[in-house]
């Protein structure tokens, strides 16, 4: 099932319609749907497609030769090309005669076995390809390699790309389309625990309960997601054990550098390079209160931004030895529902930010928001620490919308409305002109009537966000 990716497909289609040479770099972590996206774009187009493997350079070249021979209908008597330079030269020459899409998938696997390959591509592009209408796609899952050795300034390919697409997770609405038959509430619980990676969602069975899916995929030594985080860390890093410890510490609540250092035993002076590497591949994110400089703020925190990994490090990793002994289902059944709901409460805040971002993109918010964020710090009125769950701000007018997120069955609605209004001036230099109360279910009729005539207020439920 192919869902979402409209912006990416529209971008690829727009480039293709230019009818000139294009070199598009498509990358993102494994399982996120890069190849599926490319296949959807290539549907109906003449396409030379090759996927490199983790094997010797000679074997990759031999496989490429077979792909070229099959695509162009070359006779077996011709034999293969003896080098990548010869093979790419031939493909470039044929691109002068006809237009086709040329996809080189998992480029890092081939380039890591032959360090000259980026330079060989550069020569082929500069000498021949750039004068053709060739549509070249270089794709890879090793994000660090793609950003440094393909997109980086020191790469021979620097400046050749005409576009780059970093493929990320699906949002809630698109992810829910892969979970047919589930109510909005159920779909969110699955989304909160499995995230928006299409390949992960394909393993989920909507016919089974959430806990049954968790037991089968996470809490079984043969489960698809039981060792998934290890696979990514081994692919991206030479010291996966250190990164593993850092992620476990952050998932457990150690989100400041000193806390992470104390928890892991990694010197605080050495920690920044590990944190930056995890940021670069999108597993963690650094956040600071809105209005502060991310480079200089002393209140920055680190958090896992990918739901699957956050769930794994919080709920699975502490019990890996039990799971390996066959006790995974017992572990799942013993997980308190309140702990799962507390975890989903944090994911609900992320969903609210996601919804605000999508609304801001189409100008559907009451402020012309250019940023969606959150804030925390001292509330002078309370003389205590306080926070704003989500906000959408216009950096020009200094107006903002602020929101409170409540993933609970019930709460004191009047108190929350008054509390949120009291935060209107907490962010220095900005004034809140609009308010949103995000809730798991609809609020009471009394609260609806109280806010019905107040244009600055909006009530948004999880179902509303599901519908868009």
């Amino acid at each position: 099932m192919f869902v979402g990716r409209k912006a990416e497909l529209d971008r690829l289609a727009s480039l293709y319609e230019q009818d000139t040479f294009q070199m598009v770099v498509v990358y993102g972590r494994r399982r996120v749907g890069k190849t599926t996206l490319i296949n959807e774009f290539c549907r109906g187009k003449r396409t030379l497609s090759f996927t490199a493997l983790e094997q010797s350079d000679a074997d990759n070249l031999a496989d490429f030769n077979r792909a070229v021979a099959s695509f162009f209908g070359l006779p077996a008597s011709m034999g293969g090309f003896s080098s990548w330079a010869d093979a790419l030269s031939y493909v470039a020459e044929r691109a002068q005669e006809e237009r086709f899409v040329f996809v080189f998938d998992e480029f890092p696997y081939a380039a890591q076995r032959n360090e000259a390959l980026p330079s060989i591509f550069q020569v082929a592009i500069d000498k021949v390809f750039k004068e053709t209408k060739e549509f070249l796609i270089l794709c890879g899952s090793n994000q660090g390699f793609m950003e440094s050795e393909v997109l980086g300034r020191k790469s021979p390919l620097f400046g050749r790309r005409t576009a780059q697409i970093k493929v990320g997770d699906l949002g809630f609405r698109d992810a829910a389309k892969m979970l047919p038959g589930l109510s909005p509430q159920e779909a969110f619980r699955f989304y909160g625990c499995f995230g928006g990676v299409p390949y992960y969602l394909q393993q989920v069975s909507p016919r089974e309960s959430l806990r049954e899916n968790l037991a089968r995929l996470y809490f079984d030594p043969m489960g698809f997601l039981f060792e998934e985080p290890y696979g990514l860390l081994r692919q991206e890093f030479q010291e996966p054990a250190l990164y593993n410890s850092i992620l476990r510490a952050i998932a457990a609540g150690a989100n400041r550098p000193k806390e992470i250092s104390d928890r892991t035993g990694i010197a605080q002076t050495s920690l920044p390079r590990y944190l930056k590497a995890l940021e670069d591949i999108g597993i963690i994110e650094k956040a600071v209160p809105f209005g502060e400089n991310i480079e200089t703020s002393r209140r920055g925190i680190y958090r896992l931004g990918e739901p699957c990994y956050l769930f794994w490090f919080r709920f699975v990793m502490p019990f890996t030895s039990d799971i390996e002994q066959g006790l995974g289902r017992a572990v799942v059944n013993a997980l308190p529902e309140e702990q799962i709901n507390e975890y989903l409460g944090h994911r609900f805040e992320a969903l609210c930010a996601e919804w605000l971002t999508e609304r801001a993109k189409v100008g559907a918010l009451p402020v012309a928001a250019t940023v969606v964020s959150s804030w925390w710090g001292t509330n002078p009125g309370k003389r205590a620490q306080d926070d704003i769950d989500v906000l959408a701000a216009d950096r020009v007018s200094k107006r903002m919308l602020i929101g409170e997120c409540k993933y609970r069955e019930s709460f004191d609605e009047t108190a929350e409305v008054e509390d949120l209004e009291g935060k209107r001036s907490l962010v220095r230099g900005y004034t809140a002109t609009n308010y949103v109360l995000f809730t798991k279910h609809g609020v009471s009729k009394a609260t609806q009537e109280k806010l019905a005539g107040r244009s600055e207020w909006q009530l948004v439920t999880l179902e509303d966000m599901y519908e868009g």
Side-chain angles (χ1 to χ4, degrees):
M1 176 191 297
F2 185 86
V3 300
R5 309 300 189 200
K6 183 179 184 303
E8 292 89 341
L9 284 174
D10 287 349
R11 179 61 170 157
L12 289 168
S14 175
L15 292 168
Y16 189 78
E17 289 170 3
Q18 293 181 25
D19 210 27
T20 58
F21 170 72
Q22 302 291 334
M23 174 184 151
V24 183
V25 178
V26 178
Y27 69 109
R29 61 192 180 84
R30 65 180 192 164
R31 322 282 199 198
V32 81
K34 302 178 296 300
T35 302
T36 303
L37 166 66
I38 293 170
N39 289 342
E40 184 68 16
F41 164 70
C42 292
R43 191 185 303 275
K45 301 179 180 68
R46 183 160 157 76
T47 304
L48 166 59
S49 183
F50 168 71
T51 301
L53 303 176
E54 289 188 278
Q55 59 186 6
S56 71
D57 180 53
D59 284 339
N60 273 323
L61 178 58
D63 288 347
F64 184 66
N65 277 330
R66 282 188 283 273
V68 170
S70 175
F71 181 72
F72 292 112
L74 301 180
S77 59
M78 179 178 171
F81 299 100
S82 61
S83 69
W84 284 103
D86 290 343
L88 290 174
S89 292
Y90 179 79
V91 174
E93 289 169 6
R94 294 298 297 260
Q96 293 177 309
E97 303 169 7
E98 61 172 317
R99 191 184 192 202
F100 55 91
V101 179
F102 175 18
V103 178
F104 198 120
D105 203 353
E106 292 301 356
F107 182 71
Y109 289 159
Q112 287 170 335
R113 294 294 180 268
N114 186 332
E115 295 181 355
L117 193 55
S119 296
I120 295 170
F121 258 97
Q122 175 236 314
V123 171
I125 290 169
D126 292 349
K127 286 189 174 182
V128 185
F129 276 131
K130 70 178 183 180
E131 302 301 329
T132 72
K133 298 178 181 180
E134 181 68 13
F135 199 98
L136 170 63
I137 299 178
L138 295 183
C139 180
S141 300
N142 187 321
Q143 298 176 90
F145 184 95
M146 296 297 287
E147 291 180 343
S148 63
E149 303 304 320
V150 177
L151 296 172
R153 289 185 174 274
K154 295 182 179 180
S155 167
L157 291 169
F158 179 73
R160 273 76 183 175
R161 66 105 177 96
T162 54
Q164 72 280 332
I165 298 175
K166 186 172 184 178
V167 182
D169 296 0
L170 295 175
F172 175 48
R173 293 179 67 206
D174 285 333
K177 294 174 184 176
M178 299 187 68
L179 302 169
L182 296 182
S183 69
Q185 295 289 343
E186 292 173 320
F188 171 68
R189 284 168 63 83
F190 277 79
Y191 179 63
C193 294
F194 292 100
V197 175
Y199 200 76
Y200 298 167
L201 293 170
Q202 288 175 356
Q203 315 308 313
V204 171
S205 172
R207 297 185 301 274
E208 299 175 344
S209 71
L210 174 63
R211 287 187 186 251
E212 288 171 338
N213 275 281
L214 294 176
R216 178 170 54 83
L217 296 173
Y218 280 117
F219 292 85
D220 185 325
M222 295 180 288
F224 179 76
L225 296 175
F226 176 62
E227 290 192 322
E228 178 66 8
Y230 286 134
L232 177 69
L233 297 180
R234 284 195 296 265
Q235 173 183 290
E236 294 281 350
F237 305 120
Q238 294 181 345
E239 303 172 292
L242 289 178
Y243 292 96
N244 188 66
S245 295
I246 291 170
L247 292 174
R248 181 174 184 176
I250 295 173
N255 53 22
R256 300 178 189 277
K258 186 178 185 308
E259 296 170 348
I260 298 170
S261 176
D262 291 343
R263 188 75 63 91
T264 62
I266 300 173
Q268 196 167 338
T269 53
S270 302
L271 199 56
R273 70 184 180 94
Y274 296 113
L275 294 172
K276 180 64 167 58
L278 288 168
E279 279 187 89
D280 288 343
I281 63 171
I283 298 301
I284 68 169
E285 56 191 15
K286 182 180 180 182
V288 299
F290 173 67
E292 297 191 10
N293 187 309
I294 197 165
E295 301 296 333
T296 59
S297 174
R298 295 185 177 182
R299 293 193 289 174
I301 61 173
Y302 290 90
R303 55 195 181 199
L304 272 77
E306 210 293 320
C308 171
Y309 287 68
L310 177 56
F311 184 91
W312 192 91
F313 279 99
R314 177 161 179 184
F315 293 108
V316 181
M317 188 178 185
F319 301 102
T320 51
S321 60
D322 302 318
I323 297 168
E324 287 171 345
Q325 294 178 40
L327 298 173
R329 189 168 292 275
V331 172
V332 172
N333 292 335
L335 288 178
E337 189 67 19
E338 57 267 26
Q339 286 188 16
I340 295 177
N341 283 330
E342 177 192 3
Y343 163 83
L344 290 173
H346 293 295
R347 299 313 308 160
F348 185 68
E349 290 185 15
L351 174 61
C352 298
E354 179 185 311
W355 184 85
L356 284 174
T357 300
E358 292 304 312
R359 302 285 286 179
K361 287 179 181 178
V362 296
L365 293 178
V367 299
T370 57
V371 60
V372 173
S373 186
S374 57
W375 179 91
W376 58 93
T378 302
N379 184 331
K382 296 180 179 178
R383 295 183 180 181
Q385 292 297 298
D386 210 342
D387 64 85
I388 299 173
D389 290 342
V390 289
L391 62 86
D394 179 354
R395 294 186 188 274
V396 178
S397 70
K398 303 298 182 181
R399 297 169 60 239
M400 65 180 182
L401 171 157
I402 60 176
E404 183 74 15
C405 309
K406 290 296 179 185
Y407 187 76
R408 298 179 186 173
E409 295 301 319
S410 63
F411 57 93
D412 189 332
E413 297 169 3
T414 299
E416 291 300 334
V417 168
E418 294 175 352
D419 185 62
L420 190 58
E421 290 180 334
K423 298 176 181 179
R424 66 188 306 269
S425 301
L426 281 184
V427 179
R428 183 178 301 175
Y430 287 80
T431 300
T433 57
N434 295 85
Y435 309 91
V436 183
L437 182 59
F438 295 96
T439 55
K440 181 178 182 180
H441 303 292
V443 296
S444 67
K445 185 176 181 180
T447 299
Q448 293 178 40
E449 291 175 347
K450 178 180 178 180
L451 300 178
R454 300 177 59 180
S455 60
E456 74 274 20
W457 266 94
Q458 187 174 2
L459 300 171
V460 178
T461 66
L462 193 155
E463 286 80 1
D464 293 330
M465 290 186 277
Y466 176 87
E467 296 295 336

